[in-house]
Amino acid sequence: MLIAKFTVAAACAMLVLAGASGVQARERRKPAFDPKTIPAEWVRIPTKGQTFTFGQQFEGKRWTYTFPAHSVTFTYDLIMSATQVTQDEYLKTTGANPTLHPGDLKRPIDNVSWYDAVVYCNTLSKRDGLDPVYSYKSVTGTAAAGITALEDFHSDIKKNGYRLLTSAEYEYVVRAGTKTTWFFGGDDADQDQAKDYAWCDRNAAGETHPVGLLKPNAYGVHDINGNLWMWCDDWYDEGPYPGDAQTDPTGPATGTQKIARGGAFKNDVYHERSAYHWQWRPSDHNYEVGFRIARTAPSVR
Protein backbone atom coordinates (compact mmCIF):
# COMPACT_ATOMS: atom_id res chain seq x y z
CA MET A 1 0.00 0.00 0.00
CA LEU A 2 2.83 2.33 0.83
CA ILE A 3 4.40 1.39 -2.46
CA ALA A 4 1.14 2.20 -4.22
CA LYS A 5 0.94 5.59 -2.51
CA PHE A 6 4.54 6.29 -3.42
CA THR A 7 3.88 5.30 -7.01
CA VAL A 8 0.86 7.59 -7.27
CA ALA A 9 2.75 10.44 -5.65
CA ALA A 10 5.72 9.89 -7.91
CA ALA A 11 3.46 9.78 -10.94
CA CYS A 12 1.80 13.04 -9.91
CA ALA A 13 5.18 14.64 -9.37
CA MET A 14 6.28 13.48 -12.80
CA LEU A 15 3.15 15.00 -14.34
CA VAL A 16 3.80 18.30 -12.57
CA LEU A 17 7.41 18.29 -13.76
CA ALA A 18 6.29 17.40 -17.27
CA GLY A 19 3.78 20.27 -17.18
CA ALA A 20 6.44 22.65 -15.94
CA SER A 21 8.80 21.46 -18.66
CA GLY A 22 6.07 22.07 -21.21
CA VAL A 23 5.60 25.61 -19.92
CA GLN A 24 9.35 26.18 -19.98
CA ALA A 25 9.51 24.82 -23.50
CA ARG A 26 6.74 27.19 -24.56
CA GLU A 27 8.55 30.06 -22.87
CA ARG A 28 11.69 29.17 -24.78
CA ARG A 29 9.80 29.44 -28.06
CA LYS A 30 10.01 33.22 -28.10
CA PRO A 31 8.99 35.38 -31.06
CA ALA A 32 11.51 35.57 -33.88
CA PHE A 33 12.92 38.86 -32.61
CA ASP A 34 13.42 39.31 -28.90
CA PRO A 35 13.99 43.02 -28.14
CA LYS A 36 17.16 42.19 -26.23
CA THR A 37 18.62 39.85 -28.86
CA ILE A 38 18.25 41.42 -32.29
CA PRO A 39 19.70 39.05 -34.91
CA ALA A 40 22.94 40.03 -36.59
CA GLU A 41 21.20 40.85 -39.85
CA TRP A 42 18.80 43.26 -38.11
CA VAL A 43 19.47 46.55 -36.32
CA ARG A 44 17.66 48.50 -33.64
CA ILE A 45 17.08 52.14 -34.55
CA PRO A 46 16.94 54.51 -31.55
CA THR A 47 13.84 56.47 -32.49
CA LYS A 48 11.91 56.55 -29.20
CA GLY A 49 11.81 60.07 -27.76
CA GLN A 50 13.88 61.38 -30.66
CA THR A 51 13.01 64.47 -32.70
CA PHE A 52 14.48 65.30 -36.09
CA THR A 53 13.88 67.75 -38.92
CA PHE A 54 11.88 66.02 -41.63
CA GLY A 55 12.20 67.39 -45.14
CA GLN A 56 14.33 69.92 -46.97
CA GLN A 57 13.63 72.58 -49.56
CA PHE A 58 15.85 72.71 -52.63
CA GLU A 59 15.98 76.08 -54.32
CA GLY A 60 15.00 75.88 -57.96
CA LYS A 61 14.45 72.10 -57.82
CA ARG A 62 10.81 71.30 -57.11
CA TRP A 63 11.06 67.72 -58.36
CA THR A 64 8.97 66.49 -55.48
CA TYR A 65 7.44 68.05 -52.39
CA THR A 66 9.90 67.65 -49.54
CA PHE A 67 9.07 70.88 -47.71
CA PRO A 68 8.44 72.73 -45.52
CA ALA A 69 10.93 71.10 -43.18
CA HIS A 70 9.28 70.40 -39.83
CA SER A 71 9.89 68.54 -36.56
CA VAL A 72 8.93 64.88 -36.19
CA THR A 73 9.07 62.97 -32.90
CA PHE A 74 8.73 59.22 -32.39
CA THR A 75 7.26 57.45 -29.36
CA TYR A 76 8.68 53.98 -30.13
CA ASP A 77 11.89 52.34 -31.26
CA LEU A 78 12.22 50.62 -34.60
CA ILE A 79 13.93 47.38 -35.59
CA MET A 80 14.67 46.68 -39.22
CA SER A 81 16.59 44.46 -41.57
CA ALA A 82 20.04 45.84 -42.31
CA THR A 83 19.56 44.97 -45.99
CA GLN A 84 16.87 45.11 -48.65
CA VAL A 85 14.67 42.02 -49.09
CA THR A 86 16.52 39.71 -51.48
CA GLN A 87 15.24 37.57 -54.31
CA ASP A 88 16.22 34.52 -52.28
CA GLU A 89 14.18 35.63 -49.25
CA TYR A 90 11.18 36.49 -51.40
CA LEU A 91 11.35 33.17 -53.24
CA LYS A 92 11.55 31.15 -50.02
CA THR A 93 8.58 32.99 -48.51
CA THR A 94 6.24 33.26 -51.50
CA GLY A 95 7.45 30.56 -53.89
CA ALA A 96 7.87 33.21 -56.60
CA ASN A 97 10.69 35.34 -57.98
CA PRO A 98 9.27 37.94 -60.39
CA THR A 99 12.58 39.82 -60.72
CA LEU A 100 13.60 41.60 -63.90
CA HIS A 101 17.23 41.42 -62.70
CA PRO A 102 17.94 37.65 -62.69
CA GLY A 103 21.27 35.98 -62.18
CA ASP A 104 21.98 36.31 -58.45
CA LEU A 105 19.45 35.56 -55.72
CA LYS A 106 21.30 37.90 -53.34
CA ARG A 107 20.18 40.87 -55.41
CA PRO A 108 17.19 42.76 -53.98
CA ILE A 109 13.75 41.65 -55.14
CA ASP A 110 12.26 44.01 -57.73
CA ASN A 111 9.16 44.11 -59.91
CA VAL A 112 6.93 43.76 -56.84
CA SER A 113 3.94 46.00 -56.17
CA TRP A 114 3.26 47.73 -52.87
CA TYR A 115 0.52 45.14 -52.38
CA ASP A 116 3.03 42.33 -52.95
CA ALA A 117 5.25 43.83 -50.24
CA VAL A 118 2.35 44.10 -47.78
CA VAL A 119 1.27 40.47 -48.30
CA TYR A 120 4.89 39.37 -47.88
CA CYS A 121 5.05 41.20 -44.53
CA ASN A 122 1.84 39.57 -43.31
CA THR A 123 3.05 36.13 -44.40
CA LEU A 124 6.18 36.56 -42.26
CA SER A 125 4.13 37.84 -39.30
CA LYS A 126 1.87 34.79 -39.36
CA ARG A 127 4.85 32.48 -39.75
CA ASP A 128 6.51 33.92 -36.65
CA GLY A 129 3.39 34.18 -34.47
CA LEU A 130 3.29 37.99 -34.55
CA ASP A 131 0.30 40.32 -34.85
CA PRO A 132 -0.07 41.27 -38.52
CA VAL A 133 0.18 45.00 -39.16
CA TYR A 134 -2.02 44.80 -42.24
CA SER A 135 -5.55 43.43 -42.60
CA TYR A 136 -7.65 42.85 -45.73
CA LYS A 137 -10.57 40.68 -46.80
CA SER A 138 -9.26 39.41 -50.10
CA VAL A 139 -6.28 39.53 -52.46
CA THR A 140 -6.40 40.18 -56.20
CA GLY A 141 -3.56 38.37 -57.95
CA THR A 142 -0.76 36.11 -56.75
CA ALA A 143 2.91 36.50 -55.87
CA ALA A 144 3.83 34.83 -59.15
CA ALA A 145 1.52 36.91 -61.35
CA GLY A 146 1.67 40.05 -59.22
CA ILE A 147 -0.81 41.33 -56.61
CA THR A 148 -2.80 44.32 -57.82
CA ALA A 149 -5.37 45.00 -55.07
CA LEU A 150 -6.34 44.28 -51.46
CA GLU A 151 -9.98 44.59 -50.48
CA ASP A 152 -11.00 46.51 -47.33
CA PHE A 153 -7.42 47.31 -46.39
CA HIS A 154 -6.38 48.61 -42.93
CA SER A 155 -3.07 48.95 -41.11
CA ASP A 156 -1.79 49.55 -37.60
CA ILE A 157 1.97 50.13 -37.42
CA LYS A 158 1.99 49.83 -33.63
CA LYS A 159 1.35 46.08 -33.89
CA ASN A 160 4.47 43.94 -33.56
CA GLY A 161 4.37 42.28 -36.98
CA TYR A 162 6.51 42.94 -40.04
CA ARG A 163 5.82 46.02 -42.11
CA LEU A 164 7.18 48.67 -44.43
CA LEU A 165 8.81 51.78 -43.00
CA THR A 166 6.87 55.00 -42.93
CA SER A 167 8.31 57.83 -44.99
CA ALA A 168 9.34 59.69 -41.83
CA GLU A 169 11.03 56.60 -40.40
CA TYR A 170 12.89 56.06 -43.66
CA GLU A 171 14.25 59.59 -43.72
CA TYR A 172 15.25 59.35 -40.06
CA VAL A 173 17.16 56.13 -40.79
CA VAL A 174 18.79 57.61 -43.91
CA ARG A 175 19.98 60.65 -42.02
CA ALA A 176 21.32 58.63 -39.06
CA GLY A 177 21.74 61.83 -37.06
CA THR A 178 23.02 63.98 -39.93
CA LYS A 179 21.43 67.24 -41.10
CA THR A 180 23.19 67.54 -44.45
CA THR A 181 21.70 66.99 -47.92
CA TRP A 182 23.23 63.49 -48.06
CA PHE A 183 24.21 61.49 -45.00
CA PHE A 184 27.66 61.12 -46.53
CA GLY A 185 28.09 64.80 -47.43
CA GLY A 186 26.60 68.25 -47.54
CA ASP A 187 27.17 69.70 -51.00
CA ASP A 188 27.86 68.86 -54.63
CA ALA A 189 31.58 68.44 -53.94
CA ASP A 190 30.77 65.39 -51.78
CA GLN A 191 28.70 63.57 -54.40
CA ASP A 192 31.44 61.19 -55.47
CA GLN A 193 31.31 59.62 -52.01
CA ALA A 194 27.91 58.19 -52.96
CA LYS A 195 29.59 55.28 -54.74
CA ASP A 196 30.93 54.02 -51.39
CA TYR A 197 27.39 53.70 -49.99
CA ALA A 198 24.87 53.53 -52.84
CA TRP A 199 24.53 51.71 -56.16
CA CYS A 200 23.72 54.58 -58.50
CA ASP A 201 24.64 55.85 -61.96
CA ARG A 202 28.25 56.35 -60.82
CA ASN A 203 29.01 52.72 -60.03
CA ALA A 204 26.09 50.36 -60.78
CA ALA A 205 26.71 49.90 -64.54
CA GLY A 206 22.95 49.81 -65.16
CA GLU A 207 22.20 46.85 -62.89
CA THR A 208 21.22 45.95 -59.34
CA HIS A 209 23.82 44.29 -57.13
CA PRO A 210 23.80 41.80 -54.24
CA VAL A 211 22.76 43.48 -51.00
CA GLY A 212 25.21 44.52 -48.30
CA LEU A 213 28.32 44.93 -50.45
CA LEU A 214 28.77 48.67 -49.89
CA LYS A 215 29.39 50.55 -46.65
CA PRO A 216 26.45 50.92 -44.23
CA ASN A 217 25.38 54.24 -42.76
CA ALA A 218 25.97 55.13 -39.10
CA TYR A 219 23.01 52.95 -38.01
CA GLY A 220 24.51 49.88 -39.69
CA VAL A 221 21.96 49.86 -42.53
CA HIS A 222 23.19 48.89 -46.00
CA ASP A 223 21.78 50.21 -49.28
CA ILE A 224 19.55 52.73 -47.52
CA ASN A 225 20.18 54.68 -50.72
CA GLY A 226 20.55 53.12 -54.14
CA ASN A 227 20.17 49.68 -55.71
CA LEU A 228 16.35 49.94 -55.77
CA TRP A 229 13.71 52.39 -54.65
CA MET A 230 12.05 51.09 -51.48
CA TRP A 231 8.28 51.08 -50.98
CA CYS A 232 7.15 53.04 -47.89
CA ASP A 233 3.88 52.76 -46.01
CA ASP A 234 2.60 56.27 -46.80
CA TRP A 235 0.29 57.60 -49.45
CA TYR A 236 1.79 60.40 -51.52
CA ASP A 237 0.33 63.90 -51.21
CA GLU A 238 0.68 66.31 -54.14
CA GLY A 239 0.83 69.29 -51.78
CA PRO A 240 3.59 70.48 -49.46
CA TYR A 241 4.20 68.84 -46.11
CA PRO A 242 2.29 70.13 -43.09
CA GLY A 243 4.32 72.86 -41.45
CA ASP A 244 3.58 72.01 -37.82
CA ALA A 245 5.41 69.53 -35.60
CA GLN A 246 4.19 65.92 -35.81
CA THR A 247 4.39 62.79 -33.69
CA ASP A 248 4.60 59.31 -35.30
CA PRO A 249 3.32 60.54 -38.69
CA THR A 250 2.00 57.99 -41.16
CA GLY A 251 1.13 60.30 -44.05
CA PRO A 252 -2.23 61.11 -45.67
CA ALA A 253 -5.23 58.89 -44.93
CA THR A 254 -5.89 58.26 -48.63
CA GLY A 255 -4.28 58.72 -52.01
CA THR A 256 -3.62 57.18 -55.40
CA GLN A 257 0.15 56.63 -55.18
CA LYS A 258 2.51 55.27 -52.54
CA ILE A 259 5.84 56.85 -51.61
CA ALA A 260 9.14 55.14 -52.36
CA ARG A 261 12.54 56.29 -51.11
CA GLY A 262 16.26 55.79 -51.58
CA GLY A 263 16.81 56.00 -55.31
CA ALA A 264 17.82 53.21 -57.68
CA PHE A 265 20.80 51.84 -59.58
CA LYS A 266 20.05 54.04 -62.62
CA ASN A 267 19.53 57.32 -60.76
CA ASP A 268 21.92 60.19 -60.21
CA VAL A 269 22.95 61.33 -56.75
CA TYR A 270 20.26 64.02 -56.58
CA HIS A 271 17.65 61.27 -56.37
CA GLU A 272 19.43 59.92 -53.28
CA ARG A 273 19.26 63.01 -51.12
CA SER A 274 18.11 62.21 -47.61
CA ALA A 275 14.86 64.15 -47.97
CA TYR A 276 14.01 62.96 -51.48
CA HIS A 277 11.20 60.59 -52.43
CA TRP A 278 9.21 59.50 -55.45
CA GLN A 279 5.87 57.74 -55.91
CA TRP A 280 4.12 54.96 -57.83
CA ARG A 281 0.63 53.45 -57.80
CA PRO A 282 0.46 50.62 -55.24
CA SER A 283 -0.43 48.16 -58.02
CA ASP A 284 2.63 49.06 -60.12
CA HIS A 285 5.36 46.50 -60.80
CA ASN A 286 8.62 48.17 -61.72
CA TYR A 287 12.21 47.00 -62.26
CA GLU A 288 13.40 49.98 -60.17
CA VAL A 289 11.32 49.28 -57.04
CA GLY A 290 11.67 46.79 -54.19
CA PHE A 291 11.22 46.96 -50.43
CA ARG A 292 12.78 46.40 -47.03
CA ILE A 293 11.08 45.34 -43.81
CA ALA A 294 10.87 46.61 -40.25
CA ARG A 295 8.95 46.16 -37.02
CA THR A 296 7.83 48.48 -34.26
CA ALA A 297 10.18 47.37 -31.49
CA PRO A 298 8.74 45.71 -28.38
CA SER A 299 9.44 47.62 -25.18
CA VAL A 300 12.59 46.58 -23.34
CA ARG A 301 11.86 46.15 -19.63
Side-chain angles (χ1 to χ4, degrees):
M1 193 68 174
L2 286 173
I3 293 174
K5 287 182 178 179
F6 175 77
T7 303
V8 171
C12 289
M14 291 176 65
L15 288 172
V16 170
L17 288 171
S21 297
V23 170
Q24 290 170 356
R26 288 193 295 273
E27 288 177 347
R28 286 195 296 271
R29 292 196 293 268
K30 293 181 178 180
F33 297 102
D34 185 284
K36 295 179 182 177
T37 57
I38 305 300
E41 67 275 17
W42 278 59
V43 292
R44 190 181 187 97
I45 308 297
T47 51
K48 187 174 183 179
Q50 300 297 312
T51 298
F52 84 111
T53 300
F54 181 37
Q56 182 180 0
Q57 185 159 352
F58 304 98
E59 295 301 328
K61 295 188 176 78
R62 294 168 64 103
W63 296 348
T64 187
Y65 282 109
T66 60
F67 59 87
H70 57 285
S71 293
V72 164
T73 302
F74 298 103
T75 62
Y76 54 87
D77 276 342
L78 183 72
I79 53 177
M80 63 183 289
S81 175
T83 58
Q84 300 167 340
V85 173
T86 66
Q87 295 176 29
D88 183 53
E89 290 169 329
Y90 195 80
L91 177 62
K92 287 177 179 176
T93 300
T94 68
N97 183 16
T99 183
L100 297 177
H101 297 277
D104 191 329
L105 292 177
K106 294 302 181 184
R107 290 181 180 185
I109 186 65
D110 63 283
N111 195 36
V112 285
S113 69
W114 185 87
Y115 295 123
D116 283 310
V118 161
V119 171
Y120 176 90
C121 289
N122 266 22
T123 301
L124 290 187
S125 296
K126 293 172 183 176
R127 180 198 71 184
D128 292 341
L130 302 172
D131 296 324
V133 169
Y134 307 109
S135 64
Y136 36 85
K137 287 184 177 178
S138 64
V139 177
T140 301
T142 64
I147 296 173
T148 56
L150 298 173
E151 182 187 2
D152 195 20
F153 177 84
H154 300 281
S155 68
D156 180 0
I157 69 166
K158 294 299 178 69
K159 289 186 176 179
N160 67 1
Y162 298 90
R163 62 179 177 83
L164 304 176
L165 282 80
T166 68
S167 185
E169 290 169 349
Y170 204 102
E171 185 169 329
Y172 181 88
V173 174
V174 171
R175 291 188 177 282
T178 64
K179 297 181 180 179
T180 48
T181 298
W182 296 273
F183 72 83
F184 49 80
D187 54 43
D188 289 356
D190 299 315
Q191 286 189 28
D192 202 48
Q193 295 183 52
K195 64 179 184 241
D196 293 331
Y197 298 92
W199 294 111
C200 57
D201 68 345
R202 295 180 179 232
N203 60 354
E207 266 293 352
T208 61
H209 293 262
V211 302
L213 296 182
L214 300 181
K215 293 180 181 178
N217 73 354
Y219 284 152
V221 180
H222 293 271
D223 305 314
I224 192 66
N225 286 124
N227 229 359
L228 291 175
W229 292 94
M230 297 282 101
W231 285 118
C232 289
D233 214 54
D234 309 39
W235 289 108
Y236 171 68
D237 189 343
E238 290 286 350
Y241 286 154
D244 55 329
Q246 296 182 299
T247 299
D248 301 340
T250 56
T254 60
T256 59
Q257 297 175 302
K258 287 289 186 177
I259 284 179
R261 281 185 171 264
F265 62 93
K266 62 178 285 187
N267 296 132
D268 61 32
V269 182
Y270 280 105
H271 287 80
E272 297 176 3
R273 297 169 293 182
S274 295
Y276 194 78
H277 59 73
W278 199 242
Q279 62 282 333
W280 280 271
R281 293 174 301 178
S283 59
D284 284 349
H285 294 76
N286 192 298
Y287 78 122
E288 294 182 59
V289 186
F291 67 102
R292 60 195 317 145
I293 57 176
R295 289 180 54 209
T296 300
S299 299
V300 178
R301 296 176 182 175

